[in-house]
């Protein structure tokens, strides 16, 4: 399977704990995105990488959130001191660079539940 | 910012035709996407419109009017498997990152 892969699929944690999610994009895609989606809403943009460079971050991304893509391949999203409001589906997407059409290919997401 | 508006929920009968509307307000518009998302699954790409007019792809068609800030997704010969959320997303600016609407939940019944 050469699609976008996210791990874990589900994560249950207690408030105040740190969590880390991983995304493996489609191998030839230079761009990688993180989104958050809550029930009944569309995906909300969090941040995006072009290769290893983090080029844009949403104001939604508080200082408790950090994302990395150290070698321009897989990416991690870490949430520190989780809060109940962080409960959501975290989606990763990738796309090839240099295309105006910029079709994004999404992973199945990591569902986070903060108790 | 971008205001993207689409109906929350629609229902339709198997075999029928349904039109899902999307209106938007934005500057620096590049194009408009439609994605399909089944419950608990990843969004998947359906269509991309950058010029005015209708683009047809099998049972699905998408229309865009840039001057009116309006798009619709037309689904023909509805099947039960078409029950899903349909996301309208607008791309703007130099990064071409789409901003998504809240989605329209389509329920197809026999």
């Amino acid at each position: 399977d050469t699609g976008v892969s996210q791990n874990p699929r589900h994560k249950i944690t207690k408030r105040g704990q740190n969590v880390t999610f991983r995304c493996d994009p489609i191998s030839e895609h230079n761009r990688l995105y993180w989104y958050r989606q809550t029930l009944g809403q569309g995906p909300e943009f969090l941040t995006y990488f072009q290769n290893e460079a983090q080029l844009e971050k949403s104001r939604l991304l508080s200082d408790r959130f950090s994302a990395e893509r150290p070698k321009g391949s897989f990416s991690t999203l870490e949430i520190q001191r989780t809060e109940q409001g962080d409960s959501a589906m975290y989606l990763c997407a990738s796309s090839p660079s240099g295309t105006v059409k910029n079709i994004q290919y999404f992973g199945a997401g990591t569902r986070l539940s903060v108790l | 910012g971008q205001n993207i508006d689409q109906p929350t929920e629609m229902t339709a009968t198997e075999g029928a035709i349904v039109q899902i509307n999307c209106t938007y307000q934005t500057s620096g518009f590049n194009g408009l996407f439609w994605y399909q998302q089944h419950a608990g699954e990843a969004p998947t790409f359906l269509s991309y419109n950058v010029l005015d007019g209708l683009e047809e792809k099998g049972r699905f068609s998408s229309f865009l009017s840039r001057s009116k800030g309006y798009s619709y997704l037309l689904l023909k010969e509805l099947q039960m498997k078409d029950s899903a959320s349909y996301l309208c997303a607008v791309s703007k600016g130099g990064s071409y990152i789409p901003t998504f609407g809240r989605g329209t939940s389509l329920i197809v019944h026999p």
Side-chain angles (χ1 to χ4, degrees):
Chain A
D1 184 11
T2 57
V4 178
S5 175
Q6 291 189 246
N7 288 290
R9 290 294 310 277
H10 303 276
K11 179 70 177 178
I12 301 173
T13 192
K14 292 182 179 178
R15 191 174 52 184
Q17 298 294 305
N18 299 345
V19 293
T20 301
F21 311 140
R22 176 178 169 126
C23 172
D24 288 88
I26 294 171
S27 59
E28 61 268 25
H29 286 183
N30 293 330
R31 294 186 176 190
L32 186 148
Y33 312 79
W34 285 99
Y35 287 85
R36 179 171 66 189
Q37 186 176 27
T38 53
L39 195 63
Q41 301 295 319
E44 294 176 295
F45 171 76
L46 293 177
T47 189
Y48 120 83
F49 292 84
Q50 172 92 17
N51 299 312
E52 66 275 10
Q54 188 173 19
L55 296 186
E56 195 166 328
K57 291 198 294 187
S58 163
R59 277 173 287 182
L60 290 175
L61 210 66
S62 78
D63 56 6
R64 296 185 298 106
F65 287 68
S66 61
E68 294 182 341
R69 195 183 182 197
K71 298 181 180 178
S73 56
F74 74 91
S75 175
T76 57
L77 177 68
E78 181 183 17
I79 309 174
Q80 295 183 326
R81 304 180 304 280
T82 52
E83 302 173 355
Q84 288 186 326
D86 297 332
S87 295
M89 176 74 84
Y90 289 84
L91 293 167
C92 175
S94 68
S95 68
S97 62
T99 62
V100 171
K101 201 169 179 178
N102 197 30
I103 296 171
Q104 295 178 315
Y105 297 83
F106 284 84
T110 295
R111 181 169 295 283
L112 173 67
S113 297
V114 181
L115 305 179
Chain B
Q2 290 149 263
N3 296 316
I4 302 171
D5 192 36
Q6 49 182 134
T8 303
E9 187 176 294
M10 300 181 71
T11 59
T13 306
E14 194 175 13
I17 299 173
V18 71
Q19 178 175 311
I20 303 174
N21 296 326
C22 173
T23 58
Y24 63 90
Q25 294 177 321
T26 189
S27 57
F29 176 85
N30 293 324
L32 188 142
F33 295 86
W34 285 97
Y35 280 80
Q36 179 191 59
Q37 186 177 26
H38 286 99
E41 297 184 12
T44 55
F45 171 78
L46 290 178
S47 67
Y48 177 70
N49 293 68
V50 62
L51 300 176
D52 287 358
L54 185 68
E55 299 222 356
E56 298 185 72
K57 194 188 297 184
R59 294 189 300 112
F60 293 8
S61 303
S62 57
F63 171 84
L64 176 67
S65 168
R66 294 174 67 122
S67 61
K68 295 182 180 178
Y70 168 68
S71 173
Y72 67 73
L73 181 70
L74 192 71
L75 292 77
K76 302 177 186 175
E77 301 168 16
L78 281 172
Q79 302 174 10
M80 299 296 289
K81 68 178 183 179
D82 297 328
S83 294
S85 180
Y86 291 86
L87 300 163
C88 171
V90 171
S91 168
K92 65 169 280 188
S95 63
Y96 300 97
I97 299 172
T99 297
F100 287 83
R102 64 190 304 162
T104 297
S105 176
L106 174 65
I107 301 168
V108 180
H109 55 81

